[in-house]
Amino acid sequence: MSLQWTLVASFLYIEIAFVILLLLPIISPTRWQLILKSRLVTGLASYARLYFNGILIALVFLLIDAIREITKHKTKQGQDQNTINMEQMKEFRAQRNFYISGTALILWFVLKRLIVLIQSFAQLKAENKAVLKQAESASKTARDLMDATKKDEIQAKKDNSEIEKELMIKQDEIKRLNKELETSKLDIEAMKRQSENLAKEYDNLSGEHSKLIKKLEQLEYQNQGETKKDN
């Protein structure tokens, strides 16, 4: 095997090992995300497109070369046995090189796709954790608000009950004052009637008094007349 195909075969073995490593469940996508975001990998990732395209072009050229070798070394009629054996051996090598380069090319795309999927899965997992944390925070805030609302409702009920009690006390006091006012009105009316009766009695007494004074004056006048006659 020539040097170039030895390198391609080694590259294929490395690809297979790396694919198996990526598929192992021991290392989580989050861990792979941390590894891929490390300083070393990030520095290499800046030239990732160049590396990918360069290796892709090299593998495509090697695949085309392997196909050309297969076509070139196909056995033809009219050749002796030694020549046929040599051509078949070269054709076998060309087919082997074709499978090596083709498999390496396919795995190169598979590797890139696996890395993209792992990064996407790790990012989705991180976003899911962030969303869950936000949901937990929102639910906690909602529970706190509900508790605060319940406390406010209980306090409002207490305040309302106290206000109702005070209102009932005020209503009872107003009723008592109304009763006292009615009683006072009745007392005033009774006093008015009594004062009217007293005024009437006073008028009557004044009339009798004036009558008595007149009678006394008449009696005194008569007494004076009789005294004069006696003299």
Side-chain angles (χ1 to χ4, degrees):
M1 185 182 289
S2 61
L3 179 61
Q4 61 180 6
W5 291 110
T6 303
L7 292 175
V8 173
S10 301
F11 182 73
L12 175 63
Y13 299 148
I14 292 170
E15 282 182 322
I16 293 170
F18 196 58
V19 168
I20 293 171
L21 188 62
L22 288 174
L23 295 176
L24 287 176
I26 299 172
I27 304 175
S28 63
T30 306
R31 184 64 60 84
W32 277 118
Q33 180 76 354
L34 293 175
I35 294 171
L36 293 173
K37 285 187 175 181
S38 62
R39 185 176 297 178
L40 178 62
V41 178
T42 304
L44 295 174
S46 59
Y47 301 99
R49 186 180 295 274
L50 179 63
Y51 298 151
F52 179 80
N53 292 330
I55 294 173
L56 178 64
I57 292 169
L59 290 174
V60 169
F61 276 118
L62 290 171
L63 181 64
I64 293 171
D65 183 64
I67 294 170
R68 184 183 62 80
E69 289 292 325
I70 291 171
T71 307
K72 178 181 177 182
H73 296 294
K74 281 189 177 294
T75 58
K76 299 177 183 179
Q77 295 179 356
Q79 294 178 341
D80 57 0
Q81 190 62 38
N82 292 328
T83 305
I84 291 172
N85 291 335
M86 289 295 295
E87 291 296 326
Q88 286 179 349
M89 184 179 63
K90 289 180 181 179
E91 184 180 1
F92 171 76
R93 289 177 180 175
Q95 289 175 352
R96 180 200 61 193
N97 296 336
F98 170 77
Y99 292 130
I100 291 173
S101 59
T103 307
L105 183 62
I106 292 170
L107 284 179
W108 188 239
F109 286 104
V110 171
L111 271 174
K112 182 182 179 183
R113 186 61 179 168
L114 276 175
I115 291 171
V116 172
L117 289 174
I118 287 171
Q119 287 178 337
S120 299
F121 183 76
Q123 186 175 0
L124 288 174
K125 195 172 182 181
E127 291 176 357
N128 188 23
K129 286 183 179 179
V131 170
L132 286 175
K133 287 182 180 179
Q134 289 179 356
E136 289 176 356
S137 177
S139 62
K140 185 179 179 182
T141 304
R143 285 196 300 270
D144 293 339
L145 288 174
M146 289 177 67
D147 293 337
T149 304
K150 287 181 180 178
K151 289 180 181 178
D152 292 338
E153 288 179 355
I154 293 170
Q155 186 65 34
K157 287 181 180 178
K158 289 182 180 179
D159 294 338
N160 289 331
S161 62
E162 291 178 357
I163 291 170
E164 288 177 356
K165 288 180 181 178
E166 291 180 358
L167 183 61
M168 290 176 66
I169 293 170
K170 295 295 182 183
Q171 287 178 351
D172 294 336
E173 187 175 357
I174 289 169
K175 288 180 181 179
R176 183 180 61 79
L177 291 173
N178 287 329
K179 287 181 180 180
E180 291 180 357
L181 181 60
E182 290 177 358
T183 304
S184 299
K185 286 181 179 180
L186 292 174
D187 293 338
I188 290 169
E189 289 179 357
M191 291 177 67
K192 283 182 179 180
R193 285 195 297 269
Q194 288 178 0
S195 63
E196 289 176 355
N197 291 328
L198 289 173
K200 287 179 181 180
E201 290 180 359
Y202 178 77
D203 291 337
N204 293 328
L205 291 172
S206 297
E208 291 179 358
H209 183 265
S210 59
K211 287 179 181 180
L212 289 172
I213 290 172
K214 286 180 181 179
K215 286 182 180 181
L216 288 172
E217 288 177 353
Q218 289 177 358
L219 289 172
E220 287 179 357
Y221 183 73
Q222 289 177 359
N223 290 328
Q224 286 178 1
E226 290 179 355
T227 305
K228 286 180 180 180
K229 286 182 180 181
D230 294 332
N231 292 327

